Amino acid sequence: MKQVVVFTATRVELHAVRRAIQVERRDRVAGFPCLIGHRGRTRVYLVQTGVGPERASVACRDFFRRHPADLAVSAGFACSLLPSHVGELLIGTEVAAPAGAGTAAASAVAPTGIGSNSLSSIPVAPAAMDLALRSAGAAGLEVRAGRFVTVSRVLWRAEDKRAMADRTGALGLDMESAAIGAVAADHRVPFVIVRTVSDLVNEDLPLDFNLFQGPGGWGRGLAAALSRPACVIGLYRLRGQAAVAAAHLTRFFERFFDAQE
């Protein structure tokens, strides 16, 4: 039975993948939730790491110390850095961490020159990427493949997203994949990125979600959200986009787990 570990950042993303498997038991990985189950002949470990490269790195290292795996998947939602549609599937060919981004991933992987910028880059496993592309097609999902970039802070302004797209040439942005890929490489586990678009390159998020980070973060974030009615409306819009992205993620993983050999 092939053993696949899927790392997601949030509970919403975790439950999107959970709907594709039969859960047998629950565990903890470095204090983070871990669901263990199967779909067909595939054993699935589903780990919720929390948001950001540091949390993802801690959860991954603890998991690989205790469990073998045939494949590691960085899954969940992504910001599209190219014009696209909510729910579109993005498959990573590699993941880059901008130098000076302040992430553990940026110092853990090899630098590669892209234009005048120096990025750290981790390739995905070609066989896993090919299987992901075929599974997306079988699920009837719009899909694109290309470079991802991992950052340590939420890019919530459209102008910052476009600047990152110009700097990196990436099609998708997240906050965990480079850390997951670096740890998987340390343990010689093949790695792939599969994420659905939940926010678009040319839209601002309703508020600065970095306010929620750190001590007292939830209080600061909620105060900012409630202070502006337009922000509340924007949060409802984002919730609807996340629901579409989650449904497409479930459809993908149903096909992807069934296709494992």
Side-chain angles (χ1 to χ4, degrees), residues 58-87:
V58 168
C60 291
R61 291 191 186 283
D62 189 65
F63 177 87
F64 287 125
R65 275 196 294 265
R66 297 197 286 155
H67 300 282
D70 299 304
L71 178 66
V73 186
S74 172
F77 303 153
C79 167
S80 175
L81 294 181
L82 296 175
S84 60
H85 305 290
V86 170

PDB file of all heavy atoms in Angstrom, residues 58-87:
ATOM      1  N   VAL A  58       8.407  22.624  11.108  1.00  0.00           N
ATOM      2  CA  VAL A  58       8.364  21.875  12.371  1.00  0.00           C
ATOM      3  C   VAL A  58       7.484  20.642  12.228  1.00  0.00           C
ATOM      4  O   VAL A  58       7.855  19.531  12.629  1.00  0.00           O
ATOM      5  CB  VAL A  58       7.857  22.775  13.512  1.00  0.00           C
ATOM      6  CG1 VAL A  58       7.535  21.946  14.757  1.00  0.00           C
ATOM      7  CG2 VAL A  58       8.890  23.849  13.851  1.00  0.00           C
ATOM      8  N   ALA A  59       6.281  20.811  11.656  1.00  0.00           N
ATOM      9  CA  ALA A  59       5.355  19.688  11.505  1.00  0.00           C
ATOM     10  C   ALA A  59       5.936  18.613  10.591  1.00  0.00           C
ATOM     11  O   ALA A  59       5.837  17.414  10.878  1.00  0.00           O
ATOM     12  CB  ALA A  59       4.017  20.185  10.965  1.00  0.00           C
ATOM     13  N   CYS A  60       6.557  19.029   9.488  1.00  0.00           N
ATOM     14  CA  CYS A  60       7.128  18.065   8.545  1.00  0.00           C
ATOM     15  C   CYS A  60       8.263  17.271   9.178  1.00  0.00           C
ATOM     16  O   CYS A  60       8.338  16.040   9.020  1.00  0.00           O
ATOM     17  CB  CYS A  60       7.640  18.769   7.297  1.00  0.00           C
ATOM     18  SG  CYS A  60       6.356  19.464   6.269  1.00  0.00           S
ATOM     19  N   ARG A  61       9.141  17.953   9.880  1.00  0.00           N
ATOM     20  CA  ARG A  61      10.281  17.252  10.471  1.00  0.00           C
ATOM     21  C   ARG A  61       9.816  16.233  11.509  1.00  0.00           C
ATOM     22  O   ARG A  61      10.336  15.109  11.566  1.00  0.00           O
ATOM     23  CB  ARG A  61      11.266  18.258  11.091  1.00  0.00           C
ATOM     24  CG  ARG A  61      11.978  19.086  10.046  1.00  0.00           C
ATOM     25  CD  ARG A  61      13.137  19.882  10.598  1.00  0.00           C
ATOM     26  NE  ARG A  61      13.671  20.750   9.554  1.00  0.00           N
ATOM     27  CZ  ARG A  61      14.457  20.335   8.561  1.00  0.00           C
ATOM     28  NH1 ARG A  61      14.793  19.053   8.486  1.00  0.00           N
ATOM     29  NH2 ARG A  61      14.887  21.179   7.641  1.00  0.00           N
ATOM     30  N   ASP A  62       8.827  16.593  12.301  1.00  0.00           N
ATOM     31  CA  ASP A  62       8.329  15.646  13.291  1.00  0.00           C
ATOM     32  C   ASP A  62       7.651  14.462  12.615  1.00  0.00           C
ATOM     33  O   ASP A  62       7.823  13.317  13.036  1.00  0.00           O
ATOM     34  CB  ASP A  62       7.364  16.336  14.246  1.00  0.00           C
ATOM     35  CG  ASP A  62       6.998  15.449  15.423  1.00  0.00           C
ATOM     36  OD1 ASP A  62       7.890  15.125  16.219  1.00  0.00           O
ATOM     37  OD2 ASP A  62       5.825  15.061  15.540  1.00  0.00           O
ATOM     38  N   PHE A  63       6.890  14.731  11.544  1.00  0.00           N
ATOM     39  CA  PHE A  63       6.221  13.632  10.851  1.00  0.00           C
ATOM     40  C   PHE A  63       7.239  12.638  10.294  1.00  0.00           C
ATOM     41  O   PHE A  63       7.119  11.426  10.504  1.00  0.00           O
ATOM     42  CB  PHE A  63       5.345  14.152   9.716  1.00  0.00           C
ATOM     43  CG  PHE A  63       4.693  13.045   8.939  1.00  0.00           C
ATOM     44  CD1 PHE A  63       3.478  12.519   9.343  1.00  0.00           C
ATOM     45  CD2 PHE A  63       5.312  12.491   7.826  1.00  0.00           C
ATOM     46  CE1 PHE A  63       2.889  11.462   8.658  1.00  0.00           C
ATOM     47  CE2 PHE A  63       4.731  11.442   7.134  1.00  0.00           C
ATOM     48  CZ  PHE A  63       3.517  10.928   7.547  1.00  0.00           C
ATOM     49  N   PHE A  64       8.252  13.121   9.582  1.00  0.00           N
ATOM     50  CA  PHE A  64       9.202  12.220   8.927  1.00  0.00           C
ATOM     51  C   PHE A  64      10.119  11.501   9.924  1.00  0.00           C
ATOM     52  O   PHE A  64      10.680  10.460   9.592  1.00  0.00           O
ATOM     53  CB  PHE A  64      10.025  12.981   7.891  1.00  0.00           C
ATOM     54  CG  PHE A  64       9.257  13.344   6.659  1.00  0.00           C
ATOM     55  CD1 PHE A  64       9.180  14.659   6.233  1.00  0.00           C
ATOM     56  CD2 PHE A  64       8.594  12.378   5.927  1.00  0.00           C
ATOM     57  CE1 PHE A  64       8.472  14.999   5.096  1.00  0.00           C
ATOM     58  CE2 PHE A  64       7.879  12.699   4.785  1.00  0.00           C
ATOM     59  CZ  PHE A  64       7.816  14.013   4.371  1.00  0.00           C
ATOM     60  N   ARG A  65      10.237  12.039  11.129  1.00  0.00           N
ATOM     61  CA  ARG A  65      10.985  11.307  12.156  1.00  0.00           C
ATOM     62  C   ARG A  65      10.232  10.058  12.598  1.00  0.00           C
ATOM     63  O   ARG A  65      10.841   9.086  13.049  1.00  0.00           O
ATOM     64  CB  ARG A  65      11.235  12.212  13.377  1.00  0.00           C
ATOM     65  CG  ARG A  65      12.458  13.106  13.260  1.00  0.00           C
ATOM     66  CD  ARG A  65      12.861  13.659  14.619  1.00  0.00           C
ATOM     67  NE  ARG A  65      11.836  14.554  15.144  1.00  0.00           N
ATOM     68  CZ  ARG A  65      11.861  15.863  15.000  1.00  0.00           C
ATOM     69  NH1 ARG A  65      12.842  16.450  14.325  1.00  0.00           N
ATOM     70  NH2 ARG A  65      10.907  16.618  15.514  1.00  0.00           N
ATOM     71  N   ARG A  66       8.900  10.091  12.460  1.00  0.00           N
ATOM     72  CA  ARG A  66       8.084   9.007  13.015  1.00  0.00           C
ATOM     73  C   ARG A  66       7.442   8.105  11.974  1.00  0.00           C
ATOM     74  O   ARG A  66       7.028   6.999  12.280  1.00  0.00           O
ATOM     75  CB  ARG A  66       6.985   9.599  13.898  1.00  0.00           C
ATOM     76  CG  ARG A  66       7.515  10.345  15.110  1.00  0.00           C
ATOM     77  CD  ARG A  66       6.432  10.550  16.141  1.00  0.00           C
ATOM     78  NE  ARG A  66       5.469  11.573  15.743  1.00  0.00           N
ATOM     79  CZ  ARG A  66       4.215  11.619  16.180  1.00  0.00           C
ATOM     80  NH1 ARG A  66       3.750  10.697  16.981  1.00  0.00           N
ATOM     81  NH2 ARG A  66       3.412  12.598  15.800  1.00  0.00           N
ATOM     82  N   HIS A  67       7.332   8.596  10.727  1.00  0.00           N
ATOM     83  CA  HIS A  67       6.590   7.845   9.721  1.00  0.00           C
ATOM     84  C   HIS A  67       7.359   7.788   8.397  1.00  0.00           C
ATOM     85  O   HIS A  67       7.891   8.813   7.950  1.00  0.00           O
ATOM     86  CB  HIS A  67       5.223   8.495   9.443  1.00  0.00           C
ATOM     87  CG  HIS A  67       4.329   8.571  10.636  1.00  0.00           C
ATOM     88  ND1 HIS A  67       3.627   7.499  11.119  1.00  0.00           N
ATOM     89  CD2 HIS A  67       4.010   9.628  11.438  1.00  0.00           C
ATOM     90  CE1 HIS A  67       2.912   7.868  12.165  1.00  0.00           C
ATOM     91  NE2 HIS A  67       3.136   9.144  12.387  1.00  0.00           N
ATOM     92  N   PRO A  68       7.374   6.644   7.738  1.00  0.00           N
ATOM     93  CA  PRO A  68       7.880   6.588   6.359  1.00  0.00           C
ATOM     94  C   PRO A  68       6.814   7.132   5.408  1.00  0.00           C
ATOM     95  O   PRO A  68       5.618   7.170   5.739  1.00  0.00           O
ATOM     96  CB  PRO A  68       8.103   5.092   6.133  1.00  0.00           C
ATOM     97  CG  PRO A  68       7.076   4.447   7.013  1.00  0.00           C
ATOM     98  CD  PRO A  68       6.937   5.321   8.229  1.00  0.00           C
ATOM     99  N   ALA A  69       7.219   7.574   4.239  1.00  0.00           N
ATOM    100  CA  ALA A  69       6.262   8.048   3.235  1.00  0.00           C
ATOM    101  C   ALA A  69       6.852   7.846   1.849  1.00  0.00           C
ATOM    102  O   ALA A  69       8.066   7.954   1.661  1.00  0.00           O
ATOM    103  CB  ALA A  69       5.917   9.521   3.456  1.00  0.00           C
ATOM    104  N   ASP A  70       5.978   7.550   0.900  1.00  0.00           N
ATOM    105  CA  ASP A  70       6.388   7.412  -0.496  1.00  0.00           C
ATOM    106  C   ASP A  70       6.254   8.715  -1.271  1.00  0.00           C
ATOM    107  O   ASP A  70       6.855   8.882  -2.336  1.00  0.00           O
ATOM    108  CB  ASP A  70       5.546   6.331  -1.180  1.00  0.00           C
ATOM    109  CG  ASP A  70       5.716   4.971  -0.526  1.00  0.00           C
ATOM    110  OD1 ASP A  70       6.869   4.502  -0.440  1.00  0.00           O
ATOM    111  OD2 ASP A  70       4.708   4.391  -0.086  1.00  0.00           O
ATOM    112  N   LEU A  71       5.435   9.645  -0.743  1.00  0.00           N
ATOM    113  CA  LEU A  71       5.198  10.912  -1.435  1.00  0.00           C
ATOM    114  C   LEU A  71       4.722  11.939  -0.420  1.00  0.00           C
ATOM    115  O   LEU A  71       3.897  11.643   0.440  1.00  0.00           O
ATOM    116  CB  LEU A  71       4.140  10.740  -2.530  1.00  0.00           C
ATOM    117  CG  LEU A  71       3.747  12.006  -3.305  1.00  0.00           C
ATOM    118  CD1 LEU A  71       4.921  12.522  -4.142  1.00  0.00           C
ATOM    119  CD2 LEU A  71       2.535  11.736  -4.200  1.00  0.00           C
ATOM    120  N   ALA A  72       5.245  13.175  -0.530  1.00  0.00           N
ATOM    121  CA  ALA A  72       4.782  14.312   0.267  1.00  0.00           C
ATOM    122  C   ALA A  72       4.100  15.311  -0.651  1.00  0.00           C
ATOM    123  O   ALA A  72       4.631  15.664  -1.710  1.00  0.00           O
ATOM    124  CB  ALA A  72       5.959  14.973   0.988  1.00  0.00           C
ATOM    125  N   VAL A  73       2.920  15.777  -0.245  1.00  0.00           N
ATOM    126  CA  VAL A  73       2.140  16.719  -1.050  1.00  0.00           C
ATOM    127  C   VAL A  73       1.899  17.991  -0.243  1.00  0.00           C
ATOM    128  O   VAL A  73       1.394  17.938   0.879  1.00  0.00           O
ATOM    129  CB  VAL A  73       0.783  16.118  -1.467  1.00  0.00           C
ATOM    130  CG1 VAL A  73       0.056  17.075  -2.428  1.00  0.00           C
ATOM    131  CG2 VAL A  73       0.965  14.748  -2.101  1.00  0.00           C
ATOM    132  N   SER A  74       2.277  19.126  -0.810  1.00  0.00           N
ATOM    133  CA  SER A  74       1.882  20.418  -0.265  1.00  0.00           C
ATOM    134  C   SER A  74       0.563  20.795  -0.933  1.00  0.00           C
ATOM    135  O   SER A  74       0.508  21.018  -2.146  1.00  0.00           O
ATOM    136  CB  SER A  74       2.944  21.481  -0.556  1.00  0.00           C
ATOM    137  OG  SER A  74       2.477  22.762  -0.180  1.00  0.00           O
ATOM    138  N   ALA A  75      -0.511  20.845  -0.136  1.00  0.00           N
ATOM    139  CA  ALA A  75      -1.846  21.007  -0.706  1.00  0.00           C
ATOM    140  C   ALA A  75      -2.597  22.135  -0.009  1.00  0.00           C
ATOM    141  O   ALA A  75      -2.266  22.529   1.113  1.00  0.00           O
ATOM    142  CB  ALA A  75      -2.630  19.700  -0.575  1.00  0.00           C
ATOM    143  N   GLY A  76      -3.627  22.608  -0.682  1.00  0.00           N
ATOM    144  CA  GLY A  76      -4.467  23.638  -0.093  1.00  0.00           C
ATOM    145  C   GLY A  76      -4.798  24.720  -1.094  1.00  0.00           C
ATOM    146  O   GLY A  76      -4.976  24.457  -2.283  1.00  0.00           O
ATOM    147  N   PHE A  77      -4.866  25.953  -0.599  1.00  0.00           N
ATOM    148  CA  PHE A  77      -5.207  27.091  -1.433  1.00  0.00           C
ATOM    149  C   PHE A  77      -3.948  27.857  -1.829  1.00  0.00           C
ATOM    150  O   PHE A  77      -2.903  27.723  -1.200  1.00  0.00           O
ATOM    151  CB  PHE A  77      -6.151  28.037  -0.699  1.00  0.00           C
ATOM    152  CG  PHE A  77      -7.432  27.393  -0.221  1.00  0.00           C
ATOM    153  CD1 PHE A  77      -8.101  27.902   0.878  1.00  0.00           C
ATOM    154  CD2 PHE A  77      -7.965  26.289  -0.874  1.00  0.00           C
ATOM    155  CE1 PHE A  77      -9.276  27.319   1.320  1.00  0.00           C
ATOM    156  CE2 PHE A  77      -9.145  25.691  -0.440  1.00  0.00           C
ATOM    157  CZ  PHE A  77      -9.794  26.217   0.673  1.00  0.00           C
ATOM    158  N   ALA A  78      -4.081  28.662  -2.876  1.00  0.00           N
ATOM    159  CA  ALA A  78      -2.974  29.491  -3.337  1.00  0.00           C
ATOM    160  C   ALA A  78      -3.512  30.801  -3.879  1.00  0.00           C
ATOM    161  O   ALA A  78      -4.665  30.890  -4.312  1.00  0.00           O
ATOM    162  CB  ALA A  78      -2.169  28.775  -4.427  1.00  0.00           C
ATOM    163  N   CYS A  79      -2.653  31.794  -3.841  1.00  0.00           N
ATOM    164  CA  CYS A  79      -2.915  33.036  -4.568  1.00  0.00           C
ATOM    165  C   CYS A  79      -2.370  32.873  -5.976  1.00  0.00           C
ATOM    166  O   CYS A  79      -1.206  32.504  -6.150  1.00  0.00           O
ATOM    167  CB  CYS A  79      -2.229  34.203  -3.872  1.00  0.00           C
ATOM    168  SG  CYS A  79      -2.170  35.712  -4.864  1.00  0.00           S
ATOM    169  N   SER A  80      -3.200  33.110  -6.973  1.00  0.00           N
ATOM    170  CA  SER A  80      -2.726  33.059  -8.347  1.00  0.00           C
ATOM    171  C   SER A  80      -1.931  34.327  -8.664  1.00  0.00           C
ATOM    172  O   SER A  80      -2.356  35.435  -8.331  1.00  0.00           O
ATOM    173  CB  SER A  80      -3.906  32.947  -9.313  1.00  0.00           C
ATOM    174  OG  SER A  80      -3.456  33.023 -10.648  1.00  0.00           O
ATOM    175  N   LEU A  81      -0.790  34.162  -9.290  1.00  0.00           N
ATOM    176  CA  LEU A  81       0.019  35.310  -9.709  1.00  0.00           C
ATOM    177  C   LEU A  81      -0.114  35.593 -11.202  1.00  0.00           C
ATOM    178  O   LEU A  81       0.603  36.440 -11.741  1.00  0.00           O
ATOM    179  CB  LEU A  81       1.486  35.075  -9.338  1.00  0.00           C
ATOM    180  CG  LEU A  81       1.788  35.020  -7.838  1.00  0.00           C
ATOM    181  CD1 LEU A  81       3.281  34.808  -7.605  1.00  0.00           C
ATOM    182  CD2 LEU A  81       1.304  36.273  -7.117  1.00  0.00           C
ATOM    183  N   LEU A  82      -1.016  34.887 -11.854  1.00  0.00           N
ATOM    184  CA  LEU A  82      -1.372  35.139 -13.251  1.00  0.00           C
ATOM    185  C   LEU A  82      -2.889  35.271 -13.335  1.00  0.00           C
ATOM    186  O   LEU A  82      -3.599  34.753 -12.465  1.00  0.00           O
ATOM    187  CB  LEU A  82      -0.919  33.975 -14.148  1.00  0.00           C
ATOM    188  CG  LEU A  82       0.581  33.718 -14.261  1.00  0.00           C
ATOM    189  CD1 LEU A  82       0.823  32.447 -15.079  1.00  0.00           C
ATOM    190  CD2 LEU A  82       1.287  34.901 -14.903  1.00  0.00           C
ATOM    191  N   PRO A  83      -3.409  35.937 -14.361  1.00  0.00           N
ATOM    192  CA  PRO A  83      -4.869  35.983 -14.507  1.00  0.00           C
ATOM    193  C   PRO A  83      -5.448  34.567 -14.558  1.00  0.00           C
ATOM    194  O   PRO A  83      -4.971  33.717 -15.317  1.00  0.00           O
ATOM    195  CB  PRO A  83      -5.059  36.713 -15.837  1.00  0.00           C
ATOM    196  CG  PRO A  83      -3.835  37.568 -15.971  1.00  0.00           C
ATOM    197  CD  PRO A  83      -2.718  36.749 -15.387  1.00  0.00           C
ATOM    198  N   SER A  84      -6.421  34.284 -13.717  1.00  0.00           N
ATOM    199  CA  SER A  84      -6.965  32.927 -13.619  1.00  0.00           C
ATOM    200  C   SER A  84      -8.358  32.995 -13.026  1.00  0.00           C
ATOM    201  O   SER A  84      -8.923  34.083 -12.844  1.00  0.00           O
ATOM    202  CB  SER A  84      -6.056  32.040 -12.766  1.00  0.00           C
ATOM    203  OG  SER A  84      -5.949  32.572 -11.462  1.00  0.00           O
ATOM    204  N   HIS A  85      -8.910  31.816 -12.693  1.00  0.00           N
ATOM    205  CA  HIS A  85     -10.243  31.715 -12.128  1.00  0.00           C
ATOM    206  C   HIS A  85     -10.171  31.100 -10.736  1.00  0.00           C
ATOM    207  O   HIS A  85      -9.328  30.234 -10.479  1.00  0.00           O
ATOM    208  CB  HIS A  85     -11.149  30.848 -13.013  1.00  0.00           C
ATOM    209  CG  HIS A  85     -11.220  31.295 -14.435  1.00  0.00           C
ATOM    210  ND1 HIS A  85     -11.858  32.459 -14.821  1.00  0.00           N
ATOM    211  CD2 HIS A  85     -10.725  30.744 -15.576  1.00  0.00           C
ATOM    212  CE1 HIS A  85     -11.761  32.600 -16.130  1.00  0.00           C
ATOM    213  NE2 HIS A  85     -11.069  31.580 -16.607  1.00  0.00           N
ATOM    214  N   VAL A  86     -11.081  31.507  -9.859  1.00  0.00           N
ATOM    215  CA  VAL A  86     -11.184  30.877  -8.549  1.00  0.00           C
ATOM    216  C   VAL A  86     -11.492  29.391  -8.741  1.00  0.00           C
ATOM    217  O   VAL A  86     -12.352  29.016  -9.535  1.00  0.00           O
ATOM    218  CB  VAL A  86     -12.281  31.550  -7.708  1.00  0.00           C
ATOM    219  CG1 VAL A  86     -12.560  30.744  -6.438  1.00  0.00           C
ATOM    220  CG2 VAL A  86     -11.874  32.976  -7.363  1.00  0.00           C
ATOM    221  N   GLY A  87     -10.769  28.542  -8.034  1.00  0.00           N
ATOM    222  CA  GLY A  87     -10.954  27.098  -8.140  1.00  0.00           C
ATOM    223  C   GLY A  87     -10.049  26.426  -9.154  1.00  0.00           C
ATOM    224  O   GLY A  87      -9.986  25.198  -9.195  1.00  0.00           O
TER     225      GLY A  87
END
